[in-house]
Amino acid sequence: DRPHQHPPQPTSHNSRRGVAIASAVSCLLHSLPRVNQRHRTASHLTPRDASRLVSSRFVSLTMTMTVKFTRVSKVMAIMVLGAVWSWSSSSSGGMGMVMAQEDDDDIICSAANYNWTVVGGAASAWRPGDDIPDVHIVMQVTDPIGEYAKYSVAVASLWAQTHDFTMAVHSQLPEGTPEHPTPEGMDHRFGKVALMKEYMEDVHGGSCPAEWLLWLDADVLMTIEYDWTRPLIETYPDSHMIGSRDIGGEGVMNSGVMLVKCSEWSSLFLEHWWTHPLATAGKPDQLALGELIDLPENSEYITVLSGEAINTAPFWWHSFVPGVSPVLHLINQPKETRRAVGSALLSKLCTAPGADSMDEFEEDGSGSEYMTVNWNWSWEWLATEYVTSLETVTGAFGTTEDKEAVIQASKASEFLASYFSEQNPPQHDKALRVLDTSLRYTEKHELGGTALLMARVAETLTALGRYEQADGLFNAAQNQYQHQLKTGLTGPEGTPALYQIIKGRAGAAVANKKGELALELYHTALAGQEKYYGKEHVAVAVTVDEIGTVFATYGQHAKAAEYFVRAATINDEKLGLHDPTSIVVRCHLAVAYLRSGNPAGDDVLAHAVAETVKHGSPHLARKVSGRLSALATSFENAGGEENSFKALYVHSLVTEVIEAGFGKVSAEFATAVGNMATTLVGGDKVRDALLLFESALEVDREVYGEEDLAVATDHFNIGYVQSKLGMFTEAAESFENSAAIRAAKLPMGEAAEEVVQARSRAAKARKAGGAASKMEL
């Protein structure tokens, strides 16, 4: 029921768009009136006898354990970790766990007993030919992260049980400590390499507990019931390692979520990863992984998926799609945020449908209690929980002198400000207050990193239109950071951060209509990046795309296309055609082609839209639809029948993209439909426009309720079209409905200009209706 996509390469562009528009509008009109929202199903974990039960009030494990999940009586799920944790390392380097039940607030899922079958060490070993699980989950948790990791482990265990997978949770390596779980001098994230390597040291002897290992970082939360590992394994049968590109990094795989096949190749690869020179030099695990992935002999064994396939971006709202994304990876987020979100997610999973809390249990036919692992709930809680947790962390500003607490508050403030700035509509004022506070206390406590924070404040000032102030702050940040580079005080960000500051200043120049200055700054940054990274790096592609955008802003679309082609070529090679970054750049290229009269834009646009729809990401949908809406507006402003056709066609694509990203019952979809209706009015397709405006009204009512200003706008638009169709009685009623809502909602009430206008329109419609009646008589 989506608008029909246009066919490839026409002989007549006008006739092509005419057919496509007729099909798109017709399809859209027929699909609009009633739309069901997506629903998730609940799975019931019914009890069965376990062969070996551990059901005492206190259970203590003093070695690393593999937990083989079974369904048991009087328990919602198999839990590896209890709510009261005591971690200790044994002589074997395993994880000691004590789980207890003391009060309801501390008990995961409020289960009366935690019963599970324990299979440790060799007892779980795989012998070729045995019936083994498809996947064995591996995690590592030590005391410093236990307060949030217990929730990610609990959620993972629920998911594992659902699919009859096994799972192991490890503590520090024998050479490590709880605070630093790897050997001294090695980055703490290399623990995953050692643990998976140990599973595979004797693959032919059968030490692997499953066909595949699934590594999960402790800040990763499972978010869908579906077993998403099997389709990946079947889609890439020749792969021995599968993961997602590191979003925001340098294009290598993110090691937080990885599928690794138990094989001789994997064993050798993990050995090379563990002994890589970057590992022994204390560098992050992903840098060494990136170098190994780039080796030709490894390419056929490793699959690097798009960044959001089995992972999420550091700014999770860019890529996380509720009900679709398999995981929520809270990369670099404060511990409090990880704890709060994990706790809330576990509570949702452990609350039966219709129950008020996770204390309520159901009974099966035999009268035995069981727990429903419930996936049938909305994700609306996530944003509130996230913002509240960050605000809790930033509360350290002005209330404590503890340096670590202030550092965490500063980190939290950047996430919080970004979240505020990227809402719809943006909340830049809130973001500025958060960043100003952070900058003030960062300087007071002499924490360093103030240049980068100054640049973030400057970006927000730019968004608020305070261009001169922003430019001054960017300039100060650039000078300070250049000084830090000379003195070696830049921290892990290094030289690349300087180019980001310069590009931020260039963006402010664009917003302030100083195109020449913007191009000069962008080219300065580009030259530095090409020297630092090489000319074919994804960071270079970003800057090249930004330069193309400057040319497009000033109407030089053919010149812009040259830059977009280069950026697209780099991204297609490094990231692949299906990556969101590649899709957005191709959208830029399509618009530049179409604005400059290049027919190649049709096919490029078709690809960008099709890929956006496949992703179903709200963030990507918003980016692409924004570019397309601007393109449609440019066609409308150009005037003429052909441009009207073009505008309608692009609007139909916008509705398709918005539907995929937000669904039909969303404010975004209502806006897209309303915009298309407005174009139809301009093209004298008034009756079709009325149907679309009425559909927008129905959606807005469902989203906002009856008394919202968006609903008032819909009534007004409907009244306008009804007047053009001679439906004067109906038009008067629509205008009055609009006026009544606006009078109740706007500060000036009945005196508001919008209310006066709607009342005037209603009076004119009544008068016109009366005149028409007299003429009929």
Side-chain angles (χ1 to χ4, degrees), residues 477-545:
Q478 181 178 336
N479 291 335
Q480 181 176 324
Y481 200 81
Q482 285 174 325
H483 175 72
Q484 290 174 339
L485 281 172
K486 292 178 182 178
T487 56
L489 298 176
T490 58
E493 299 85 3
T495 304
L498 174 63
Y499 308 134
Q500 292 303 118
I501 295 174
I502 295 172
K503 291 203 301 175
R505 189 180 176 197
V510 172
N512 199 21
K513 296 181 173 56
K514 296 181 177 180
E516 291 185 4
L517 174 60
L519 287 173
E520 179 185 340
L521 290 168
Y522 274 129
H523 278 291
T524 299
L526 178 62
Q529 288 178 318
E530 288 178 333
K531 183 177 179 181
Y532 185 86
Y533 293 115
K535 293 189 175 183
E536 304 301 318
H537 193 276
V538 291
V540 170
V542 171
T543 305
V544 171
D545 177 65

Side-chain angles (χ1 to χ4, degrees), residues 45 67-70 77-78 80 133 135-139 152-168 214 216 222 224-227 373 375:
L45 302 181
V67 180
K68 183 175 182 179
F69 298 106
T70 61
I78 312 308
V80 179
V135 173
H136 178 73
I137 298 174
V138 186
M139 299 182 72
S152 56
V153 170
V155 171
S157 71
L158 289 172
W159 186 82
Q161 184 201 10
T162 302
H163 301 293
D164 291 325
F165 294 159
T166 56
M167 179 175 176
L214 173 60
L216 298 175
M222 292 291 196
I224 60 173
E225 179 184 18
Y226 175 65
D227 173 17
V373 179
W375 297 88

Side-chain angles (χ1 to χ4, degrees), residues 113-249:
N113 293 288
Y114 294 86
N115 300 331
W116 20 299
T117 300
V118 178
V119 184
S124 66
W126 167 44
R127 302 297 179 211
D130 286 354
D131 182 16
I132 65 164
D134 292 335
V135 173
H136 178 73
I137 298 174
V138 186
M139 299 182 72
Q140 185 178 37
V141 179
T142 57
D143 186 62
I145 63 173
E147 279 306 305
Y148 69 79
K150 64 184 178 184
Y151 297 110
S152 56
V153 170
V155 171
S157 71
L158 289 172
W159 186 82
Q161 184 201 10
T162 302
H163 301 293
D164 291 325
F165 294 159
T166 56
M167 179 175 176
V169 181
H170 300 262
S171 66
Q172 68 270 14
L173 302 181
E175 306 90 341
T177 65
E179 291 72 25
H180 191 88
T182 52
E184 186 177 352
M186 180 174 279
D187 185 84
H188 67 278
R189 287 162 287 198
F190 267 92
K192 60 172 69 80
V193 184
L195 293 171
M196 288 191 290
K197 184 170 73 75
E198 186 176 348
Y199 279 113
M200 299 189 195
E201 284 186 344
D202 184 17
V203 173
H204 294 295
S207 61
C208 263
E211 293 181 42
W212 287 79
L213 302 179
L214 173 60
W215 174 268
L216 298 175
D217 275 358
D219 56 357
V220 173
L221 294 163
M222 292 291 196
T223 54
I224 60 173
E225 179 184 18
Y226 175 65
D227 173 17
W228 47 268
T229 64
R230 177 49 52 186
L232 290 175
I233 292 168
E234 292 175 351
T235 302
Y236 306 101
D238 297 327
S239 292
H240 291 239
M241 178 178 285
I242 302 172
S244 277
R245 181 176 67 85
D246 185 40
I247 302 177

Side-chain angles (χ1 to χ4, degrees), residues 219-292:
D219 56 357
V220 173
L221 294 163
M222 292 291 196
T223 54
I224 60 173
E225 179 184 18
Y226 175 65
D227 173 17
W228 47 268
T229 64
R230 177 49 52 186
L232 290 175
I233 292 168
E234 292 175 351
T235 302
Y236 306 101
D238 297 327
S239 292
H240 291 239
M241 178 178 285
I242 302 172
S244 277
R245 181 176 67 85
D246 185 40
I247 302 177
E250 298 183 357
V252 299
M253 182 186 293
N254 185 284
S255 63
V257 183
M258 295 187 299
L259 275 166
V260 182
K261 189 174 185 177
C262 284
S263 67
E264 189 170 354
W265 178 89
S266 298
S267 179
L268 186 61
F269 182 88
L270 290 166
E271 179 64 30
H272 289 162
W273 192 2
W274 177 253
T275 58
H276 194 280
L278 289 176
T280 55
K283 300 298 182 181
D285 62 321
Q286 287 182 182
L287 290 182
L289 176 61
E291 292 204 355
L292 291 172

Side-chain angles (χ1 to χ4, degrees), residues 151 221 316-317 320 328 330 333-348 377-394 412 415-416 419-420 423:
Y151 297 110
L221 294 163
W316 56 265
W317 55 92
F320 180 71
L328 175 60
L330 297 173
Q333 301 286 344
K335 290 181 180 180
E336 170 58 23
T337 296
R338 293 169 174 172
R339 185 207 63 77
V341 173
S343 173
L345 175 56
L346 183 63
S347 177
K348 290 288 182 184
W377 35 263
S378 166
W379 280 89
E380 292 179 357
W381 58 270
L382 179 58
T384 301
E385 199 69 54
Y386 181 69
V387 170
T388 300
S389 69
L390 291 177
E391 288 176 338
T392 299
V393 179
T394 58
F415 281 109
L416 187 58
Y419 185 81
F420 285 148
Q423 294 309 291

